[in-house]
Amino acid sequence: MSNQLTDHVTLRHGATLNNRIVMSPMQTHSGLKGGFASDDTIQYYSARSQAAGMLITEFHYVSENGGPAYVPGYPEQLGAYSDAHLEGLRKTAQALKKDGNKAILQIHHAGRAAVGRHVNGLDVVAPSAIDFSFLDYPVRELTLTEIDDIILDFGKATKRAIDAGFDGVEIHGANHYLIQQFFSKLSNLRTDKWGGSLENRMAFPLAVVKEVKAIVDEYAPKDFIIGYRISPEELHGKNVGYDYKEALSLISEVIKYELDYIHLSLWAGYNSKPENSEKSYAELLEKSLMIKQNFLLSVVFLGRIQLLMRLKTMLI
């Protein structure tokens, strides 16, 4: 029997989704100053509680120096970097879960993209102090202590997600934010244990995954969901941050921590593929890692799905 969109799907650790549809993260521009949920935030998520079997929130920054990723004030990026955010997180989780679907908190650090810090006169941190031509502000290289603190902050945000009643977390390792910045040769010029070789550039993403998994194992229900979002390549013309083969190497290490799903962030939709490849990124990931029996492979389509029949052809 072929797969259907309405199939129930049971993930690795026992969480069962009511269908195969996943609502990908979408920025709401609804947060209050300091990253707190507003009434608009709750209304937005409440209105989408029946949209999919699994509902992923927009990005929430986990460290005070991790956002906001756009100009502060109202609206502002949502945060999960302090216990003061718990009330809003609880309301968000309740709004998403009220019709029986799974609510996932996406956790994130903007790194160099924390433009709100610059606007507020604060320093903006990144793996390396590079004068990026596309930024109109300087970035400061993270110290070793700050790196360790951010890793712990991902764990603390995970604990808040658990306490708030979310069914899982998604680690945001895509879209040029801090985790991807550490993985990219273009933004990570460090010469210590956090940079240089492929193994060292994978160290920060894997340290974050390890910390999140440790918190989940200690505090969460057994069926708590962990996902990881990745951009399968970082290419800027002839400048290569990493290619899809290096991304597959990273995911090969990530899944050793027994995550529930991998989330591919694809600009051009499901058929996105590397140059000179007949297979899509999703097909290459499935073939390379043989994860079909163990993962829900969620793919970002960015509004390019217009017909139900087209969506049905993408079931894997």
Side-chain angles (χ1 to χ4, degrees):
M1 181 181 294
S2 62
N3 292 332
Q4 301 295 318
L5 290 174
T6 54
D7 290 343
H8 281 60
V9 178
T10 299
L11 301 183
R12 167 175 275 175
H13 295 101
T16 298
L17 311 185
N18 290 329
N19 54 62
R20 293 180 177 273
I21 301 172
V22 176
M23 186 183 83
S24 296
M26 293 178 284
Q27 192 169 306
T28 65
H29 292 278
S30 69
L32 302 174
K33 186 173 178 59
F36 294 94
S38 67
D39 290 342
D40 287 342
T41 305
I42 307 308
Q43 291 171 11
Y44 173 90
Y45 285 117
S46 180
R48 286 155 179 79
S49 62
Q50 299 181 51
M54 189 167 78
L55 306 152
I56 308 172
T57 71
E58 63 202 278
F59 57 176
H60 286 63
Y61 60 106
V62 302
S63 307
E64 196 164 1
N65 65 4
Y70 45 94
V71 176
Y74 179 79
E76 189 168 303
Q77 182 189 356
L78 295 170
Y81 61 84
S82 77
D83 289 343
H85 293 91
L86 265 173
E87 181 181 358
L89 292 172
R90 287 193 182 100
K91 290 180 179 179
T92 301
Q94 290 167 2
L96 286 168
K97 294 174 61 168
K98 65 184 175 67
D99 290 299
N101 293 311
K102 300 299 184 184
I104 308 297
L105 181 71
Q106 190 185 68
I107 51 178
H108 151 275
H109 190 294
R112 72 181 186 223
V115 61
R117 288 183 58 81
H118 167 67
V119 173
N120 283 331
L122 302 170
D123 58 351
V124 180
V125 296
S128 301
I130 299 173
D131 183 13
F132 293 102
S133 61
F134 50 84
L135 297 180
D136 60 0
Y137 52 84
V139 298
R140 176 178 62 79
E141 181 172 295
L142 285 161
T143 67
L144 294 176
T145 299
E146 287 173 326
I147 293 172
D148 290 339
D149 287 344
I150 291 170
I151 292 166
L152 294 176
D153 286 342
F154 273 94
K156 292 174 183 177
T158 299
K159 179 61 164 57
R160 293 184 189 107
I162 296 166
D163 293 342
F166 280 92
D167 300 297
V169 294
E170 178 175 286
I171 300 166
H172 195 342
N175 306 122
H176 296 90
Y177 293 121
L178 185 66
I179 292 177
Q180 181 171 329
Q181 291 165 29
F182 267 97
F183 188 48
S184 169
K185 293 188 290 286
L186 299 179
S187 52
N188 184 352
L189 305 182
R190 301 181 73 98
T191 57
D192 57 16
K193 67 178 183 178
W194 299 109
S197 66
L198 175 60
E199 181 181 3
N200 284 3
R201 288 187 286 113
M202 292 193 295
F204 181 79
L206 294 177
V208 169
V209 173
K210 180 179 180 180
E211 177 65 17
V212 168
K213 186 64 163 59
I215 294 297
V216 169
D217 287 347
E218 184 172 358
Y219 296 107
K222 290 184 179 180
D223 62 353
F224 194 82
I225 300 165
I226 307 177
Y228 187 95
R229 180 174 179 171
I230 187 170
S231 298
E233 287 187 313
E234 183 184 302
L235 306 176
H236 303 283
K238 295 182 179 180
N239 297 318
V240 180
Y242 59 88
D243 59 23
Y244 80 91
K245 294 179 181 179
E246 290 179 310
L248 289 176
S249 295
L250 174 58
I251 293 303
S252 295
E253 295 301 315
V254 165
I255 65 172
K256 291 179 180 179
Y257 291 93
E258 299 185 343
L259 275 62
D260 292 274
Y261 70 92
I262 299 298
H263 185 164
L264 292 181
S265 182
L266 302 175
W267 179 251
Y270 180 83
N271 287 329
S272 298
K273 60 184 64 175
E275 186 176 356
N276 300 321
S277 172
E278 295 182 358
K279 294 185 178 296
S280 69
Y281 292 112
E283 291 169 328
L284 288 165
L285 183 66
E286 181 188 4
K287 179 180 179 181
S288 177
L289 304 180
M290 296 184 294
I291 63 175
K292 189 170 184 178
Q293 299 303 315
N294 297 319
F295 284 88
L296 168 65
L297 186 61
S298 172
V299 182
V300 175
F301 294 105
L302 294 176
R304 292 174 184 252
I305 302 302
Q306 298 175 318
L307 299 173
L308 179 61
M309 289 302 295
R310 175 68 182 128
L311 186 57
K312 288 180 177 179
T313 66
M314 298 176 186
L315 293 176
I316 59 174

